Amino acid sequence: MHTKALLLASIPAATAAETILGAYIFSRHGDRTTKAYSPTKLTALGAEQVYLSGSWYRSRYIDEKSSTRINGISSDLADLTELAVTAPADNVLQGSAGFFLQGLYPPAGSVNSQKLANGTTIEAPLSGYQYIPVNSATVTSRGSNQAESSAWLQGNSGCPAAVNSSQAYYQSKEYFELLGSTKEFYQSLLPVYESTFPSESATFKNAYSIFDYIHVSTIHNTSIPSSNLLTPSNLQTLSDLANIHEFGLGYNASSPIRAVAGSVLASHIVSTLNSSISSSSSQKLNIQFGPYGTFGSFFGLSQLPAVSSDFTAIVDYASSMTFELFTTSSSSSPSENEVFVRFLFANGTASDSNPAKVYPLFGQDKTELPWTTFVSEMNKIALEGGSKEWCNACGEKTGQCADYYPAESAGVAAAAKSGNGMSNAVAGVIGAMVTLGVVLGLQALILGVGGLRLTKRRKQDPSEVFQVPAGKTSFSDTSSTQKA
Ligand SMILES: *[C@@H]1O[C@H](CO)[C@@H](O)[C@H](O)[C@H]1NC(C)=O
Ligand SMILES: *[C@@H]1O[C@H](CO)[C@@H](O)[C@H](O)[C@H]1NC(C)=O
Ligand SMILES: *[C@@H]1O[C@H](CO)[C@@H](O)[C@H](O)[C@H]1NC(C)=O
Ligand SMILES: *[C@@H]1O[C@H](CO)[C@@H](O)[C@H](O)[C@H]1NC(C)=O
Ligand SMILES: *[C@@H]1O[C@H](CO)[C@@H](O)[C@H](O)[C@H]1NC(C)=O
Ligand SMILES: *[C@@H]1O[C@H](CO)[C@@H](O)[C@H](O)[C@H]1NC(C)=O
């Protein structure tokens, strides 16, 4: 007994010998309304989910008392130079990021107050509420050498080869087999959803849309027509089929470009964590919100399905994956071979009862990879958005890519060059936006391919991000700022 207690007690001490240098969190949004009806909105339940997840990450990385606190990170008042938070211009993802941040840095009360020249003390409203900008322009998440020009932003940030690859899913043997074998299943559930998915739409082609509609309804609707048809087994089948469909669109081992969203994410993770190591940067925590499709693409590329087939499934709302950079050295500037990366994943809201757990990436037997191994494995799957390699792999020759194909689009290339006078800070922000734009633009395209074209009263599917048109909305805002 006594020995056991001692052993257990020694575990936190061993952990404490580690110093966390930085982390990168990629999170899905919380519970939302169905994509079948526009506009999709974050629900109160969804806000609670991401808020709780943010609180859990606070207890892991920010809290002064945490043994796994990120080295030197500000505990009470958010220091914007230490954070990079990005979410696409989508209300569900933006809102999720906002609530997550309230968990991470809750209102600080009198700590968030100031003394004025005349002696009066003013506390920020809402109990010292902390406003942490999402897509903050105060941080750069990529090196200035990786800056992209505005021509890229204004061009189509999609990846044609990836769209082609996803489209090929609809021509695959796997797809046709399921389309046929599930026909009766989907028709048998018509009484539940025919108001929204009439007979001709009730097929495997719309596996995700149907699943989403039913899934949301089972959470929010007190009554569902013919709900007796929604047996646990039928609900499971709807979910399984949606998982197969979405993983099919997001990843195919023999066509890695299909998972380009995961590749661009991988590149962003490496460059971001690398900047946390380099002493020139104060950035310690990078938080991105994005769609489940990016999780799936990254899971496929990093060989997580070999660890568990669960990694081929759509992740739950508010799920998060985290890349934790740490050192076992007590030196203030550890050498590269004393730095390690650990991957964690929480399916659904991270909390004490559902903590993020470690998993081995890249078929390795260890969950703690030396930084150099991590980088070389990540680089095998990474594509930096807008880089020459990306342009090549995507078969894209316009926009920023025109720079690499001068003969083919001299005019566009010349326009791109005129934007080179931007400051490094602005360039870095734009770089981050481009990276994200690439991830999200691709999602938009994939989803477009998967295309739900249902009844007329439904406007364009509002989705998580997906319909942010490539190079539009927030991205063009960024580029106009840059021009100003
Ligand atoms: C001090 O300055 C603030 C801001 O101008 C003002 O609202 C407040 O009334 C002043 N207090 C006193 C005691 O003058
Ligand atoms: C996409 O597919 C079309 C038709 O098969 C082909 O013509 C085009 O070159 C492909 N584009 C890319 C970027 O792979
Ligand atoms: C994956 O790619 C291979 C080779 O192109 C193809 O035969 C297979 O049908 C694809 N599978 C899916 C699910 O798209
Ligand atoms: C659930 O309720 C919403 C809002 O009233 C409705 O649009 C939807 O059709 C319902 N779902 C089902 C399965 O009936
Ligand atoms: C990390 O950053 C340093 C300094 O900017 C750079 O020389 C190095 O190549 C980067 N390493 C990786 C893996 O990106
Ligand atoms: C996450 O949970 C969903 C069910 O809610 C499941 O289908 C999926 O396999 C889980 N994923 C992982 C990686 O555990």
Side-chain angles (χ1 to χ4, degrees):
M1 281 296 279
H2 199 69
T3 319
K4 195 172 175 190
L6 275 176
L7 267 176
L8 284 175
S10 73
I11 292 169
T15 314
E18 277 178 11
T19 305
I20 310 275
L21 302 171
Y24 188 108
I25 301 172
F26 187 85
S27 176
R28 195 183 172 200
H29 57 73
D31 182 84
R32 52 154 171 72
T33 58
T34 179
K35 288 196 204 172
Y37 299 112
S38 178
T40 304
K41 286 181 283 217
L42 186 67
T43 62
L45 173 63
E48 176 79 353
Q49 290 168 342
V50 281
Y51 170 76
L52 289 176
S53 178
S55 308
W56 187 80
Y57 280 106
R58 173 176 179 76
S59 69
R60 185 174 182 89
Y61 293 135
I62 313 282
D63 198 296
E64 219 154 17
K65 294 185 287 287
S66 169
S67 62
T68 50
R69 177 184 174 201
I70 294 173
N71 191 35
I73 201 163
S74 179
S75 277
D76 295 323
L77 288 183
D79 175 344
L80 300 185
T81 65
E82 296 173 348
L83 304 168
V85 188
T86 312
D90 167 271
N91 73 68
V92 174
L93 286 163
Q94 282 277 331
S96 293
F99 281 109
F100 181 98
L101 289 171
Q102 286 310 303
L104 202 67
Y105 281 104
S110 60
V111 180
N112 197 10
S113 64
Q114 286 170 344
K115 199 163 186 182
L116 303 178
N118 67 9
T120 303
T121 298
I122 300 281
E123 184 180 297
L126 301 170
S127 310
Y129 176 92
Q130 302 196 56
Y131 176 69
I132 302 174
V134 177
N135 291 343
S136 167
T138 59
V139 283
T140 62
S141 44
R142 306 175 77 202
S144 52
N145 58 330
Q146 294 169 314
E148 271 100 0
S149 68
S150 60
W152 167 251
L153 288 164
Q154 284 152 3
N156 177 5
S157 60
C159 174
V163 175
N164 269 11
S165 175
S166 271
Q167 214 148 20
Y169 175 65
Y170 290 103
Q171 304 302 323
S172 70
K173 189 166 138 280
E174 293 92 327
Y175 172 75
F176 282 118
E177 273 172 13
L178 280 170
L179 187 66
S181 66
T182 62
K183 203 171 171 154
E184 268 176 44
F185 170 73
Y186 283 109
Q187 295 296 313
S188 74
L189 298 182
L190 270 177
V192 181
Y193 45 60
E194 66 190 335
S195 64
T196 305
F197 295 89
S199 178
E200 68 275 18
S201 308
T203 70
F204 179 63
K205 179 158 204 252
N206 290 317
Y208 180 72
S209 310
I210 293 172
F211 162 75
D212 177 65
Y213 175 69
I214 296 300
H215 180 60
V216 169
S217 299
T218 56
I219 294 170
H220 293 280
N221 293 24
T222 46
S223 74
I224 294 177
S226 305
S227 60
N228 59 308
L229 292 173
L230 295 181
T231 60
S233 142
N234 283 346
L235 287 170
Q236 187 63 49
T237 304
L238 283 171
S239 160
D240 292 346
L241 290 171
N243 287 340
I244 295 169
H245 188 270
E246 295 307 286
F247 196 67
L249 289 177
Y251 179 74
N252 181 317
S254 41
S255 181
I257 194 64
R258 190 174 303 184
V260 71
S263 295
V264 172
L265 179 67
S267 162
H268 196 231
I269 290 166
V270 169
S271 62
T272 300
L273 291 181
N274 191 38
S275 76
S276 296
I277 304 177
S278 86
S279 51
S280 63
S281 164
S282 55
Q283 191 188 301
K284 297 171 191 297
L285 182 57
N286 194 303
I287 301 163
Q288 303 281 331
F289 272 76
Y292 64 81
T294 305
F295 282 87
S297 293
F298 182 81
F299 289 168
L301 292 170
S302 60
Q303 300 170 40
L304 283 164
V307 175
S308 161
S309 63
D310 285 346
F311 283 103
T312 60
I314 296 165
V315 302
D316 284 348
Y317 294 138
S319 288
S320 52
M321 56 176 163
T322 303
F323 301 80
E324 200 171 274
L325 191 69
F326 68 98
T327 180
T328 48
S329 160
S330 51
S331 155
S332 62
S333 49
S335 67
E336 254 191 5
N337 57 13
E338 294 170 318
V339 174
F340 299 83
V341 177
R342 162 189 296 131
F343 170 80
L344 302 101
F345 172 68
N347 200 7
T349 306
S351 68
D352 286 345
S353 56
N354 181 42
K357 296 188 195 74
V358 295
Y359 294 94
L361 295 176
F362 305 115
Q364 303 268 333
D365 51 9
K366 288 196 228 71
T367 52
E368 297 171 355
L369 294 183
W371 168 248
T372 47
T373 308
F374 177 76
V375 169
S376 74
E377 291 293 332
M378 288 288 266
N379 283 346
K380 287 181 197 162
I381 62 167
L383 274 178
E384 184 194 333
S387 67
K388 185 171 188 180
E389 293 69 31
W390 184 93
C391 295
N392 239 322
C394 288
E396 176 62 71
K397 296 182 176 176
T398 61
Q400 166 86 5
C401 294
D403 275 354
Y404 307 119
Y405 301 93
E408 289 173 67
S409 38
V412 186
K417 288 228 168 63
S418 69
N420 280 352
M422 69 184 116
S423 74
N424 287 347
V426 171
V429 170
I430 291 174
M433 297 312 297
V434 167
T435 303
L436 207 69
V438 168
V439 173
L440 302 169
L442 200 263
Q443 287 295 337
L445 290 163
I446 287 179
L447 265 277
V449 169
L452 172 61
R453 307 267 181 276
L454 293 171
T455 54
K456 280 225 178 88
R457 69 200 149 103
R458 191 169 312 141
K459 290 200 210 114
Q460 212 193 358
D461 178 14
S463 85
E464 28 199 323
V465 173
F466 299 138
Q467 59 283 96
V468 174
K472 292 282 189 279
T473 61
S474 68
F475 309 130
S476 55
D477 288 349
T478 308
S479 64
S480 59
T481 307
Q482 184 258 316
K483 271 195 200 132

